Amino acid sequence: MRVTKLVGILGLSVLGVGCASTGPMSSNEKWHNFDSTNTVALEELTAEQSMVVFIRKPEAVKGSAVNIFVGGEYLTSLQEGGYKVIPLCAAPTNLTAAFTDINLNYPSVREQNNTFDLSQSRIHYFSVTQVENGQPILKALTAQQAKLAMKNTREQVNTLPRVEKNRGCSKVIYQQVHTSQPVIEKYTLAASALFVYSKFGSADVLQKGRDEIAAIANEIKKDETQIGHIAVIGYTDPMGSDAFNQQLSLKRAETVRALMVSHGLSKQKILVEGRGEQDLVVQDCESRFATNKEARNECNEPNRRVEIVTHGLQVQ
């Protein structure tokens, strides 16, 4: 299934193509900074993608070019009056920004926790703003705010992104795991012991979670000949959008599978599934603690989990 999206930016000024020198590095070396078009182009998105637009308004942020990172990968260096458009997977995604600076610790910048929910079938706009410590941050905008922010801007085209524009996106899986094989054992891991809050990558797994997964993997290996398959199923609490929760639960399950494989289990034997906010352990947290976010968050703790279920060989 393919979904066509048109991002129309009304009222933009038609600006010419600009060039800028590289300053003290070379007075002769120049690069092509901007595309001359004044609208964001028509894009075809898959059902698993969203359109994302990064904007740096003229004179909004003082400083050098602003580097934009998507999931730790370099996308572009925005100059004043520049914007960048890219289709990304509709999933929880880490987006960070930093001024160009040879002395900056870029690995640290890329690892900052700035996760945004890029829901499916939507266009997401982000504006570069400056904070007190002097470094830029990304602020989500509404479509109306983006329309105003993009006045007198042009698309930035002077750098080569490392973000794959047409990378494959994980599909939300509802029923990959079948239950026709008898359950041998079920292990339930609390998400708070596994991951940094709202994160899902292998670098975000806490040491306690790593130890638990290692112990489970070693226990499973003892009876591996009796196991038909292993199901790793991720769950979230009901806070946030359905799309965010489904993708977050799936990605966490995929990370747990990768760690189990690193401990010697066969990847082919491990199925993953993201169930999001389905099958809640505690269902009334919202009604019980509607005005108390901290208590509601604590109440939802059992819902945020990853289950590892071992199934026996097929019954004949």
Side-chain angles (χ1 to χ4, degrees):
M1 175 182 178
R2 300 188 68 82
V3 179
T4 301
K5 282 286 186 185
L6 173 63
V7 187
I9 308 301
L10 304 177
L12 299 184
S13 300
V14 179
L15 300 176
V17 176
C19 293
S21 70
T22 58
M25 294 178 63
S26 170
S27 60
N28 296 320
E29 189 175 356
K30 297 177 182 294
W31 70 82
H32 178 68
N33 285 328
F34 300 105
D35 191 354
S36 59
T37 59
N38 66 334
T39 59
V40 178
L42 179 73
E43 291 281 358
E44 285 193 345
L45 304 178
T46 68
E48 292 79 37
Q49 289 181 314
S50 286
M51 189 91 72
V52 184
V53 185
F54 299 96
I55 308 162
R56 182 177 177 179
K57 296 188 296 183
E59 301 182 356
V61 176
K62 300 299 181 183
S64 57
V66 175
N67 297 325
I68 305 296
F69 299 94
V70 176
E73 297 292 333
Y74 173 80
L75 174 64
T76 189
S77 297
L78 287 180
Q79 296 173 304
E80 284 196 35
Y83 70 85
K84 186 67 176 179
V85 185
I86 187 169
L88 297 175
C89 294
T93 305
N94 197 38
L95 306 176
T96 53
F99 285 121
T100 300
D101 185 344
I102 59 173
N103 297 314
L104 189 65
N105 184 348
Y106 282 107
S108 176
V109 171
R110 293 195 295 266
E111 291 171 3
Q112 291 176 3
N113 184 9
N114 297 298
T115 303
F116 293 88
D117 177 8
L118 304 182
S119 300
Q120 291 174 276
S121 304
R122 284 192 54 193
I123 305 163
H124 299 266
Y125 303 93
F126 295 94
S127 176
V128 176
T129 61
Q130 201 157 347
V131 293
E132 292 181 359
N133 65 5
Q135 282 300 324
I137 61 172
L138 296 171
K139 179 183 178 182
L141 302 178
T142 65
Q144 186 62 31
Q145 290 171 330
K147 175 182 174 181
L148 297 175
M150 293 185 72
K151 285 184 177 179
N152 301 321
T153 64
R154 295 168 290 178
E155 184 174 11
Q156 197 91 39
V157 295
N158 63 305
T159 56
L160 183 65
R162 294 187 179 181
V163 179
E164 295 179 34
K165 186 175 181 180
N166 296 312
R167 71 171 63 185
C169 300
S170 299
K171 295 183 179 180
V172 177
I173 300 174
Y174 290 98
Q175 292 298 331
Q176 181 185 10
V177 176
H178 302 289
T179 58
S180 59
Q181 294 166 288
V183 172
I184 297 176
E185 190 68 64
K186 182 172 80 170
Y187 308 88
T188 300
L189 304 176
S192 59
L194 286 175
F195 295 95
V196 176
Y197 185 75
S198 287
K199 302 196 82 173
F200 53 83
S202 59
D204 308 315
V205 181
L206 302 171
Q207 188 57 52
K208 181 178 179 181
R210 292 181 184 277
D211 293 342
E212 285 189 277
I213 292 170
I216 292 170
N218 289 331
E219 186 173 331
I220 289 174
K221 282 192 292 184
K222 295 177 183 178
D223 299 315
E224 196 166 6
T225 57
Q226 303 301 315
I227 294 174
H229 73 264
I230 304 161
V232 180
I233 308 170
Y235 297 90
T236 68
D237 62 32
M239 307 301 293
S241 71
D242 290 345
F244 181 92
N245 289 336
Q246 289 160 2
Q247 288 285 358
L248 177 62
S249 63
L250 176 58
K251 286 183 174 293
R252 283 181 167 177
E254 290 173 338
T255 296
V256 171
R257 174 173 64 178
L259 289 173
M260 293 175 69
V261 170
S262 73
H263 288 291
L265 293 174
S266 170
K267 183 178 180 179
Q268 287 69 34
K269 243 183 181 180
I270 307 174
L271 304 178
V272 295
E273 182 173 346
R275 292 184 180 173
E277 57 192 72
Q278 300 181 65
D279 303 328
L280 295 175
V281 176
V282 184
Q283 301 186 16
D284 59 351
C285 296
E286 181 66 34
S287 58
R288 288 167 57 196
F289 305 106
T291 60
N292 189 331
K293 182 179 179 180
E294 184 176 348
R296 186 167 65 250
N297 186 56
E298 183 177 349
C299 176
N300 271 311
E301 180 71 24
N303 294 322
R304 300 186 291 270
R305 66 201 190 277
V306 175
E307 294 179 352
I308 300 173
V309 185
T310 57
H311 292 261
L313 300 174
Q314 182 69 48
V315 178
Q316 300 297 326

